[in-house]
Amino acid sequence: EDMGVEYFNTFGGNPVCAAAGLAVLDILETENLQEHALEVGNYLKNKFTKLQKRLDLIGDVRGSGLFIGIELVRNQETLEPAREETSFICTVLKEKYHVLTSIDGLHDNVLVVKPPMVFSKDDADQFVTSFEAAVGHLQTVSVDDIANMAKTPT
């Protein structure tokens, strides 16, 4: 009886791949990379939470470990999504500061940072400084120009 296409994977359960996976788990444990991600991630979230008090553009800061989202809004009371501004900042971070972020959220207004596990507190400081500078670039562009820009691909 013909069953159609069956699942087939030549790499599933292969001893070399299993050994590589176990080696990765060993490094995660011996180098305390989970604890490092939690510590540096909390440090970065705290930096953005403090920045939120100064920048009305930041509506919320959330995440876990090194996976962090910064929700950008046009108005703190209405929480109107700052979709175009988020795209603009993402582009400026990439082009001027060589910082890669992505955009997510229902309204495409959450700037997402998910750095590698070797990301340090110094790297976090540099990212926040670059973010602040990118926000400053918003002042150099008209609202109409920002609205007419293409969405940043992520």
Side-chain angles (χ1 to χ4, degrees):
E1 174 178 320
D2 184 14
M3 304 288 281
V5 177
E6 294 182 25
Y7 176 76
F8 179 77
N9 186 333
T10 59
F11 299 109
N14 126 17
V16 173
C17 292
L22 288 172
V24 168
L25 293 175
D26 285 344
I27 294 294
L28 286 171
E29 186 177 338
T30 59
E31 295 185 12
N32 297 316
L33 291 178
Q34 281 185 296
E35 293 85 357
H36 173 79
L38 181 62
E39 179 184 334
V40 175
N42 285 337
Y43 177 81
L44 182 58
K45 277 193 334 191
N46 288 336
K47 298 273 291 184
F48 270 102
T49 299
K50 289 178 185 173
L51 189 58
Q52 182 181 15
K53 292 174 175 60
R54 293 193 344 245
L55 289 178
D56 288 340
L57 186 65
I58 299 175
D60 190 26
V61 179
R62 55 185 175 266
S64 179
L66 287 173
F67 189 85
I68 297 172
I70 302 115
E71 183 177 12
L72 303 182
V73 297
R74 290 185 178 149
N75 182 304
Q76 286 289 328
E77 291 180 25
T78 66
L79 300 180
E80 176 188 356
R83 175 182 294 189
E84 291 84 3
E85 293 87 339
T86 304
S87 182
F88 179 81
I89 289 169
C90 184
T91 299
V92 170
L93 283 169
K94 180 178 68 172
E95 291 179 1
K96 291 193 180 287
Y97 303 101
H98 310 291
V99 174
L100 296 178
T101 57
S102 60
I103 297 172
D104 206 342
L106 181 61
H107 303 289
D108 292 328
N109 68 315
V110 178
L111 191 70
V112 177
V113 58
K114 42 192 174 200
M117 293 186 84
V118 296
F119 196 73
S120 68
K121 289 181 180 178
D122 287 341
D123 295 324
D125 291 337
Q126 180 63 41
F127 175 64
V128 173
T129 299
S130 298
F131 176 85
E132 285 184 88
V135 169
H137 286 285
L138 279 172
Q139 312 306 319
T140 67
V141 182
S142 75
V143 175
D144 290 335
D145 287 341
I146 292 172
N148 290 328
M149 290 180 181
K151 181 180 180 292
T152 299
T154 60

